[in-house]
Amino acid sequence: MNKLFRDVEGKPACPQGSVVCIGAFDGLHRGHQALVGHVRARARATGLAAVALSFEPLPREFFAPATPPARLLLPRAKFEGLRGLGMDVVGLLRFNAAMAAMSAEAFVERVLVQRLAAREVWVGPEFRFGHRRAGDLGLLQALGERHGFTAAEVPVVADAAGRVSASAVRAHLAAGDLDAAAAALGRRYAIAGKVVRGKQLGRQLGYPTANLRLAGKKAPLGGIFAVWVHGIGPVPRAGVASLGTRPTVQGVEPLLEAHVFDFDGDLYGSRIDVEFVAKLRDEEKFDDLPSLVRQMDEDARQARRALRQDREERGVTA
């Protein structure tokens, strides 16, 4: 089915009933995967539609636009990730002033009952919803008794660093600890997007790049990285990437620039995934372009070395 809806109002998305999970789902980490996986299993067992319900922008982005949280997933990647985890219907409700003012009771009636015909609703730990976060699991269960659905919480997922959460993943990435982030995510962190045209300065310096914009979202990490680039061919391609504002050339907009080793094709308009393997250094401002190029040469050597080691550790020969 793989439907996407954005608005509270509209025709019933699941007229035969649904099993619903609700969350921010930023990052789709192992805790999210446990919640979504449980809903998928319950939906298959009951013959109902599996629904993931989320919000865009995230409520924290709406309420604090000057200091938004770093985003782990852009909206399209969130939708594609939820679809890939087996959700039949994904709701990315527009979080605006009207949504912020909606009471918990109205949210249940208009979204869960009228739009989704929910039979089961599953949430994560410390779930809150509705105007001023007045609703909690207890209220959701009480409203469920009135409207004919059950509500319950899935257990916390933890790893060696503690409870798995989007905040924890953000902290790992900000600290450059890609291994800890990967443990919480269940995979390496990656950014996906469509390749856009830049100023082509990298090509002039001998390092053409595939550039991804961040859609106005705050990145959870920055610096220079060894990366695998997916989406160019049947296997990931080795590369080195910069994520930042490019201070040496007076850049302003944060940009992900990935140089793919030994590749000279045209990627404009293509969708790629940049998988972060190892952080090489922080972003720096250099006195001139020759100094920058010398450092880029060293970055490329270090990235090739890190990726060879990664191949060996994973037993990949290609």
Side-chain angles (χ1 to χ4, degrees):
M1 188 162 26
N2 291 141
K3 294 181 181 178
L4 170 68
F5 71 95
R6 298 296 316 278
D7 300 306
V8 171
E9 308 299 338
K11 296 179 180 179
C14 308
Q16 305 305 315
S18 66
V19 181
V20 182
C21 55
I22 309 174
F25 297 122
D26 188 26
L28 287 177
H29 54 64
R30 289 174 53 235
H32 294 146
Q33 293 167 34
L35 174 58
V36 172
H38 183 76
V39 162
R40 181 184 63 240
R42 289 296 305 149
R44 300 299 180 261
T46 56
L48 301 173
V51 179
L53 191 58
S54 190
F55 308 92
E56 285 294 339
L58 299 181
R60 286 177 59 194
E61 291 177 308
F62 175 81
F63 287 118
T67 57
R71 282 298 297 263
L72 301 175
L73 281 180
L74 299 181
R76 175 167 175 166
K78 182 198 288 191
F79 167 66
E80 292 177 344
L82 289 167
R83 182 176 61 180
L85 290 172
M87 295 295 96
D88 302 309
V89 177
V90 176
L92 300 183
L93 295 178
R94 303 179 201 278
F95 199 93
N96 49 26
M99 175 64 71
M102 186 180 297
S103 69
E105 292 81 0
F107 179 83
V108 167
E109 292 174 8
R110 296 172 64 185
V111 180
L112 297 181
V113 177
Q114 296 175 17
R115 199 85 207 268
L116 297 176
R119 298 292 178 264
E120 299 180 18
V121 179
W122 294 87
V123 298
E126 302 174 6
F127 173 74
R128 309 289 295 195
F129 71 110
H131 182 55
R132 297 186 181 277
R133 293 168 51 86
D136 58 9
L137 178 59
L139 178 60
L140 187 62
Q141 291 171 329
L143 293 171
E145 291 182 5
R146 183 188 308 170
H147 292 288
F149 65 83
T150 61
E153 177 183 288
V154 296
V156 167
V157 173
D159 62 14
R163 175 183 166 185
V164 172
S165 68
S167 295
V169 175
R170 292 185 189 107
H172 296 322
L173 292 174
D177 193 342
L178 301 183
D179 290 340
L185 290 168
R187 65 191 184 283
R188 285 203 179 109
Y189 181 67
I191 294 178
K194 182 183 290 186
V195 178
V196 299
R197 289 189 181 275
K199 296 181 179 180
Q200 297 190 322
L201 178 61
R203 182 172 296 277
Q204 297 173 32
L205 300 178
Y207 287 92
T209 58
N211 302 329
L212 303 184
R213 291 200 172 101
L214 303 181
K217 306 297 184 182
K218 181 180 177 182
L221 75 176
I224 314 302
F225 301 86
V227 299
W228 293 114
V229 181
H230 302 255
I232 296 176
V235 297
R237 298 293 298 261
V240 60
S242 168
L243 178 52
T245 58
R246 308 166 313 286
T248 303
V249 294
Q250 292 76 49
V252 176
E253 177 193 12
L255 195 67
L256 173 57
E257 301 174 291
H259 170 70
V260 183
F261 295 138
D262 310 314
F263 178 79
D264 193 31
D266 184 354
L267 295 176
Y268 295 125
S270 302
R271 287 194 63 82
I272 61 173
D273 286 66
V274 179
E275 174 191 346
F276 295 84
V277 177
K279 183 169 183 177
L280 306 179
R281 62 178 176 88
D282 290 329
E283 191 175 41
E284 301 176 48
K285 182 175 182 179
F286 294 89
D287 294 333
D288 50 46
L289 291 182
S291 298
L292 173 60
V293 171
R294 285 193 293 273
Q295 183 60 58
M296 292 168 72
D297 291 340
E298 178 59 25
D299 293 338
R301 283 190 290 270
Q302 290 187 24
R304 288 181 184 272
R305 189 180 309 122
L307 295 170
R308 281 197 301 271
Q309 181 178 346
D310 183 57
R311 276 198 184 103
E312 293 170 359
E313 291 175 351
R314 294 183 295 114
V316 176
T317 57

